[in-house]
Amino acid sequence: MDSVLNTASAQLAGQLENHLQTIYPAIEAEAITQLVSDLISIMRLGSVEQVPVPYQNHWSQQDVIMITYGDSLYRADERAMTTLHRFLNEQCDGVINGVHVLPFFPYSSDDGFAVSDYYAVRESVGEWQDIQRLSAEYRLMSDLVINHGSGESEWFQNFIKGEGPGHDYFFTASPDEDLSDVVRPRTSPLLREVQTSVGLQYVWCTFSHDQVDFDFRNIEVLKEFVNIVRFYLDQGVNIFRLDAVAFLWKEAGSRCLNLEQTHEVVRLLRVLIEYASPSAMIITETNIPSRENLSYFGNANEAHCVYNFSLPPLLLHALITGQNFYLKQWMMSMPPAQDGTAFFNFIASHDGIGLRPVEGILPDSEVDLMIATMQDFGGHVSWRALDNGEQKPYEINIALFDALQGTVKGKDGLGEARFLCAHNIMLALEGIPGLYLHSLLGTRNDYERVKRTGHFRSINRHQWDYSELEQLLADETTHHHRVFKGIKRMIAIRAKQKAFHPNATQFTLHLGTQVFGFWRQSVDRIQNIFCLNNISAEPVALSLSDLNLISTQDWSDLLSGERYDDLQGSIELAPYQSVWLSNR
């Protein structure tokens, strides 16, 4: 046993040393050795029993992660996290087994993404015991807001004073440096002037001026975040969402996006997390063009999952135009995720519908058409600055239920069918589904919240009174009831199908412009499911012979229960109808 322990420990130390030498090439060997020792000590990995097994899938078709703020549901008589836990246990019927609780820490802006204390739970949400209780029953995803911290935090106040914890954690630059190539998702100035104890300094703010970027050139910043990871693991966190990680490393004269040191930091964190908790996962939040996003898989040695950021805008475009060309073209270009990695599929989130992920996929004219349609449906547009001073649309801010209330021709009476079709597609695709709470509930645009906060993203961040929500979900006449019931039914069916494993085979079908179809096959090649989706407002007749179904097998629709014995016949698809045609 001692030799096994020594081998595993030696391999861990060797991996950490290699990553650190790449991140910090100027640091002397002795200092790297000490840093390795420090990281192992922080993560409590002094005696490692085994080396993590590579290419392991820590997920199955039964996994669905609900995305929500900790206080999206509230009751006057209990903490918000208790109410969230109640909703999952009482209303979700066991169909949800994971939950991403968006930043539940004290913060100063951006609804939690300007963290002022990484080691505390916001009082309005609950306390660490609530987090621990939730993680005992559900797989828990937490944000690691790793790129920036609050301008009102104790760390930043110490930066201003020039002493105390965090005083050297923040990135500074000179306005005289060449920063013309820096890629940013905002229009505010990149550098913020700050009077400090040593004079005027310019801190780097990729996002808002209240979100000041950390300086990972300082090894103390790396050690601090490794300590935060260890602390979160102790609280029951199983999935780490690395927020805005693509911007982590900065170098003047570069784009300051996706730099090699950034990838190396992700690899380092994966090593530490896998040794500490073999079933824990990393998911990178990189709202950037598709090819760049996929790079965070590495060679199955970086993120376990990457957000499938191109899916929301492309699926929205397909459903409002009734044409699948761009969605299908993109899907055919997507490489299958190798074992040990998976796509994280979502079609709505607390942020808007990002437009950067369709750069090079959707022509500008189609993006403009989509934007105009969403504005007609009550949505807003957020912008980003280009290096030439111009602005470009960055994301559309709208609740998904409202986004799908019509087509480019205007609103119609097919919104619910279109909305459910979108979720049928998302749940059937290769990958792990992430389901935003407000999509599950069919929440509408919250104009009052936008007015109150002054931020467009608030349109899709409604807070529900739990008693009111219970009444709506119980009332069969409401769209909330119908949507909630319909999506839960899809999830329950999905969980039983081996062909819907996140890594099961997927091929795109060519069935005309109105039918978006794809074929899934289980890893053992026993189950086949043909996922057929009419994405148009017109009925479509589809010939079964086009699918080349094996005639000796029994075929039926998992969603409707209808059997198909005549394989030379046809399927009549109503507007926005989905069929999961399975041989088992």
Side-chain angles (χ1 to χ4, degrees):
M1 177 60 74
D2 288 342
S3 62
V4 174
L5 289 174
N6 291 338
T7 300
S9 296
Q11 182 161 330
L12 168 61
Q15 288 179 271
L16 295 178
E17 184 175 335
N18 289 337
H19 293 311
L20 291 169
Q21 286 174 340
T22 302
I23 300 168
Y24 305 109
I27 296 181
E28 296 181 357
E30 288 186 6
I32 291 290
T33 300
Q34 182 60 53
L35 183 52
V36 168
S37 177
D38 290 344
L39 296 182
I40 288 174
S41 176
I42 292 169
M43 290 294 285
R44 302 199 294 273
L45 295 173
S47 57
V48 179
E49 295 183 3
Q50 61 182 17
V51 175
V53 179
Y55 308 110
Q56 292 293 297
N57 296 327
H58 304 304
W59 44 79
S60 76
Q61 65 274 14
Q62 297 178 340
D63 288 307
V64 176
I65 295 177
M66 189 181 78
I67 306 164
T68 181
Y69 280 100
D71 56 1
S72 290
L73 307 173
Y74 65 89
R75 282 175 47 150
D77 58 344
E78 65 186 9
R79 293 193 294 266
M81 283 294 295
T82 302
T83 306
L84 171 60
H85 202 161
R86 177 189 302 279
F87 170 77
L88 287 164
N89 287 350
E90 294 180 354
Q91 297 286 347
C92 291
D93 306 330
V95 298
I96 302 290
N97 67 352
V99 58
H100 171 201
V101 183
L102 290 155
F104 45 80
F105 322 105
Y107 71 94
S108 55
S109 63
D110 198 16
D111 278 358
F113 287 93
V115 179
S116 55
D117 186 349
Y118 286 80
Y119 296 97
V121 176
R122 193 162 68 251
E123 186 176 350
S124 63
V125 173
E127 53 190 38
W128 282 115
Q129 286 184 340
D130 299 309
I131 300 296
Q132 293 162 2
R133 280 193 287 267
L134 188 65
S135 68
E137 295 184 48
Y138 297 90
R139 196 165 196 186
L140 179 63
M141 182 193 299
S142 172
D143 290 274
L144 186 66
V145 186
I146 194 170
N147 179 71
H148 50 262
S150 167
E152 297 183 12
S153 66
E154 181 182 356
W155 288 347
F156 193 70
Q157 298 312 306
N158 288 340
F159 166 80
I160 293 173
K161 292 187 295 185
E163 60 183 11
H167 77 276
D168 55 354
Y169 281 8
F170 295 94
F171 197 97
T172 61
S174 167
D176 297 328
E177 294 180 271
D178 179 12
L179 306 177
S180 60
D181 291 334
V182 175
V183 176
R184 297 184 61 229
R186 298 291 185 271
T187 58
S188 57
L190 172 63
L191 300 182
R192 168 189 167 189
E193 292 185 5
V194 181
Q195 284 289 349
T196 73
S197 61
V198 295
L200 183 65
Q201 295 200 61
Y202 296 85
V203 293
W204 188 291
C205 301
T206 298
F207 295 88
S208 76
H209 280 189
D210 185 46
Q211 293 166 294
V212 187
D213 287 36
F214 292 114
D215 186 357
F216 272 83
R217 296 172 302 180
N218 177 1
I219 63 174
E220 295 304 317
V221 175
L222 176 67
K223 289 163 64 174
E224 185 72 66
F225 272 90
V226 170
N227 192 65
I228 292 169
V229 166
R230 178 67 263 180
F231 180 73
Y232 290 179
L233 283 170
D234 291 341
Q235 308 311 312
V237 173
N238 184 257
I239 305 173
F240 292 84
R241 177 186 182 270
L242 305 189
D243 176 64
V245 70
F247 302 95
L248 186 75
W249 200 271
K250 291 88 177 167
E251 287 183 358
S254 77
R255 299 171 72 229
C256 299
L257 182 71
N258 308 321
L259 298 188
E260 178 55 33
Q261 293 94 330
T262 294
H263 284 280
E264 207 66 42
V265 169
V266 176
R267 295 178 194 125
L268 174 75
L269 291 176
R270 173 155 177 170
V271 169
L272 289 167
I273 289 170
E274 281 193 327
Y275 273 91
S277 179
S279 66
M281 296 163 49
I282 285 176
I283 178 169
T284 48
E285 188 269 332
T286 48
N287 191 357
I288 50 181
S290 183
R291 186 180 297 273
E292 298 173 37
N293 184 39
L294 293 174
S295 70
Y296 284 86
F297 276 141
N299 183 25
N301 63 346
E302 291 188 40
H304 295 85
C305 297
V306 299
Y307 276 77
N308 217 344
F309 273 110
S310 298
L311 177 61
L314 287 173
L315 183 55
L316 175 63
H317 177 271
L319 287 165
I320 65 172
T321 63
Q323 302 289 319
N324 66 22
F325 176 78
Y326 297 106
L327 176 63
K328 188 168 70 172
Q329 188 179 52
W330 163 76
M331 195 154 109
M332 290 170 61
S333 73
M334 291 291 285
Q338 62 179 310
D339 283 339
T341 66
F343 294 107
F344 187 71
N345 295 326
F346 72 108
I347 53 178
S349 76
H350 62 291
D351 288 339
I353 299 169
L355 297 176
R356 288 217 68 202
V358 292
E359 291 179 6
I361 301 174
L362 269 185
D364 287 346
S365 59
E366 295 296 324
V367 173
D368 292 342
L369 176 63
M370 184 163 59
I371 287 174
T373 304
M374 295 302 101
Q375 289 176 322
D376 287 343
F377 295 167
H380 301 289
V381 179
S382 296
W383 302 80
R384 68 183 181 93
L386 301 180
D387 54 11
N388 60 5
E390 295 182 3
Q391 294 186 6
K392 190 170 184 178
Y394 176 68
E395 68 182 15
I396 300 169
N397 303 112
I398 191 169
L400 186 63
F401 191 83
D402 281 297
L404 293 172
Q405 286 308 292
T407 69
V408 293
K409 297 178 181 180
K411 292 185 178 181
D412 56 28
L414 297 170
E416 282 187 36
R418 194 178 291 112
F419 185 77
L420 290 173
C421 177
H423 286 86
N424 267 305
I425 292 171
M426 190 262 288
L427 288 167
L429 285 171
E430 173 193 355
I432 302 168
L435 185 61
Y436 190 39
L437 171 69
H438 291 304
S439 292
L440 184 62
L441 302 176
T443 307
R444 306 294 299 267
N445 290 335
D446 191 337
Y447 300 113
E448 285 300 317
R449 191 171 176 85
V450 172
K451 184 178 180 180
R452 188 167 63 251
T453 66
H455 300 297
F456 288 157
R457 284 181 167 179
S458 297
I459 199 169
N460 199 22
R461 297 179 179 180
H462 183 70
Q463 290 180 297
W464 279 104
D465 179 286
Y466 191 66
S467 298
E468 177 190 356
L469 179 62
E470 282 185 306
Q471 293 175 6
L472 290 171
L473 294 180
D475 184 349
E476 296 182 6
T477 67
T478 69
H479 78 270
H480 303 286
H481 170 89
R482 293 188 295 271
V483 163
F484 189 53
K485 181 179 179 181
I487 295 176
K488 286 198 300 179
R489 180 174 179 272
M490 294 177 211
I491 296 172
I493 294 172
R494 178 188 188 275
K496 299 176 182 178
Q497 317 309 319
K498 290 185 177 181
F500 284 153
H501 186 282
N503 294 90
T505 298
Q506 176 174 287
F507 283 106
T508 308
L509 303 175
H510 300 279
L511 302 170
T513 59
Q514 293 173 276
V515 178
F516 178 58
F518 48 97
W519 166 61
R520 302 295 309 278
Q521 184 182 63
S522 59
V523 175
D524 60 15
R525 299 186 179 183
I526 292 175
Q527 185 182 29
N528 295 279
I529 301 177
F530 289 83
C531 305
L532 314 172
N533 307 277
N534 181 0
I535 60 167
S536 76
E538 304 296 331
V540 175
L542 184 67
S543 175
L544 283 170
S545 61
D546 290 342
L547 302 178
N548 296 317
L549 303 177
I550 299 174
S551 59
T552 56
Q553 297 180 341
D554 295 326
W555 295 91
S556 62
D557 177 15
L558 296 171
L559 295 171
S560 69
E562 183 174 352
R563 290 175 54 88
Y564 291 90
D565 297 319
D566 180 9
L567 301 188
Q568 299 304 310
S570 64
I571 295 180
E572 302 290 333
L573 293 174
Y576 306 108
Q577 181 182 352
S578 295
V579 168
W580 289 348
L581 190 59
S582 174
N583 64 338
R584 297 186 66 82

